[in-house]
Amino acid sequence: MTLNLALTSDQVKKVVETVKLNKPVYADMLDFYGKIFAAQEMSKGRIQIQPLQISEEMRNVKVSEQFSLIAIKEFLFDEPEAGRLFFVICNLAKEANPKLAADAAAILKAVDNVIKPGELFSGLLNGEDPLYEKIAGELKISETTLGFISYNSLKPSLSLCADQLSAYLKKEDPWLKGYCPICGSPPVLSILEDGGKRSLICSFCWHSWSAKRVFCPYCENLDSKTQHYFYNEGEKEFRVDLCDGCKKYLKALDARETERMIYPPLEQISSLHLDYKAKEMGYESGIPLAMQV
Ligand SMILES: [Zn+2]
Ligand SMILES: [Zn+2]
């Protein structure tokens, strides 16, 4: 049975509550993120984007060369819907910690004046860091917060685009790379299932793809002697894979060790203590700093 990672907004709310009960230390954080996740899943149902078309010839070249199907700048997004979510997330952030709340209030005040959400979205996909630097400087806000709100507003469009594009990926063409076959980004999480099945989850578009059980996606190391893992007693559903080839780590969720539903963005947030521990042990995250929570 394939694990269902596509949850509805109500299912997301439910699983967030379950994790909050199990991990009270994350309660405040999950109150905030849980509302964002639920808003994103609601938003998905309203998004209208035309599926990206890739010719058979292009698809075959990409697959045989092991190139991702698209580059990040090619993602399509529903601008009005992402803009609406931008407001929702800013308003949620206004209820969060004081620094985030102050930044969110400044962003809301500047919309349509200094800030045009559509430009932020295109800027993010095109890697236009100077645009973010300029706005953050002008409004005296954190660039990370501006990036966080923009990315999370775009995320439902990105996932939908990735879902549509996944139709071009065929089971008979194994993907042996450590980056996302849709957009080329590194994985943020790995999921283990029955029968030795392992999936990697993209840190940008959240597409999931199958990977070998012993394989470091960051350096493509297949040697089991230089890869190990640790886990905390009492939290057996999580483990952290460590690679001595590149000194990077990747968190893994073992679906066989939990009865609850699994929602990758929630798993990523509610296991940040494992990131700290892996870093203390001298390993680095394999995802870009901007994508780390
Ligand atoms: Zn991706
Ligand atoms: Zn490695």
Side-chain angles (χ1 to χ4, degrees):
M1 197 185 84
T2 312
L3 200 65
N4 177 25
L5 299 175
L7 305 190
T8 63
S9 173
D10 284 343
Q11 286 173 321
V12 168
K13 284 182 197 158
K14 215 184 231 173
V15 67
V16 166
E17 288 309 311
T18 309
V19 173
K20 261 167 65 184
L21 285 177
N22 292 338
K23 295 182 175 177
V25 65
Y26 283 104
D28 286 348
M29 205 172 176
L30 291 181
D31 270 338
F32 173 56
Y33 276 94
K35 286 178 193 148
I36 295 182
F37 297 153
Q40 287 171 327
E41 294 307 325
M42 289 281 272
S43 170
K44 257 190 204 167
R46 289 188 291 260
I47 289 178
Q48 295 192 350
I49 37 178
Q50 290 297 320
L52 274 167
Q53 303 293 333
I54 299 177
S55 70
E56 182 69 13
E57 197 186 349
M58 182 60 88
R59 190 211 84 90
N60 292 342
V61 170
K62 300 259 185 185
V63 172
S64 68
E65 298 291 328
Q66 300 270 284
F67 290 148
S68 60
L69 284 179
I70 60 165
I72 284 181
K73 61 174 191 278
E74 293 172 79
F75 271 106
L76 298 178
F77 60 91
D78 180 331
E79 189 173 327
E81 182 52 32
R84 202 196 61 79
L85 193 53
F86 186 86
F87 275 98
V88 171
I89 297 176
C90 282
N91 279 305
L92 290 171
K94 268 172 67 184
E95 311 295 317
N97 69 62
K99 173 73 184 102
L100 191 57
D103 282 1
I107 292 170
L108 279 172
K109 234 170 124 182
V111 168
D112 292 333
N113 176 15
V114 178
I115 290 184
K116 302 205 170 41
E119 285 178 14
L120 283 178
F121 303 147
S122 314
L124 190 143
L125 295 179
N126 286 296
E128 285 172 29
D129 296 342
L131 173 73
Y132 279 77
E133 262 167 51
K134 184 176 154 271
I135 295 174
E138 231 168 282
L139 299 180
K140 297 190 175 53
I141 57 165
S142 142
E143 202 182 318
T144 312
T145 302
L146 191 59
F148 170 83
I149 296 175
S150 304
Y151 170 72
N152 277 286
S153 310
L154 269 182
K155 199 169 141 194
S157 288
L158 304 175
S159 316
L160 213 69
C161 223
D163 281 353
Q164 290 171 345
L165 285 168
S166 64
Y168 288 101
L169 302 170
K170 295 176 188 161
K171 271 216 173 77
E172 57 272 24
D173 298 319
W175 185 253
L176 304 172
K177 292 289 174 185
Y179 47 83
C180 172
I182 301 280
C183 76
S185 300
V188 64
L189 191 74
S190 120
I191 306 226
L192 308 171
E193 290 173 66
D194 281 337
K197 187 172 186 285
R198 181 191 189 207
S199 309
L200 299 176
I201 309 285
C202 176
S203 57
F204 191 76
C205 74
W206 298 81
H207 172 70
S208 89
W209 72 97
S210 296
K212 287 200 162 96
R213 195 78 169 187
V214 179
F215 168 66
C216 168
Y218 304 125
C219 71
E220 299 184 355
N221 180 6
L222 291 161
D223 176 13
S224 61
K225 289 192 223 62
T226 50
Q227 295 184 70
H228 40 116
Y229 65 87
F230 73 83
Y231 63 89
N232 283 342
E233 276 305 328
E235 194 189 18
K236 288 211 169 115
E237 73 268 34
F238 278 105
R239 72 179 217 192
V240 182
D241 291 320
L242 306 167
C243 172
D244 286 332
C246 62
K247 295 301 267 183
K248 293 202 169 116
Y249 71 87
L250 176 63
K251 291 186 291 188
L253 182 104
D254 192 336
R256 297 163 301 181
E257 297 285 346
T258 180
E259 294 291 306
R260 62 171 175 80
M261 288 176 285
I262 290 171
Y263 185 65
L266 167 68
E267 316 308 338
Q268 155 66 355
I269 298 289
S270 62
S271 58
L272 291 178
H273 54 289
L274 297 174
D275 292 78
Y276 295 128
K277 194 164 172 185
K279 285 175 186 166
E280 261 174 35
M281 290 166 75
Y283 293 85
E284 280 173 36
S285 168
I287 55 172
L289 202 59
M291 295 311 296
Q292 293 177 33
V293 182

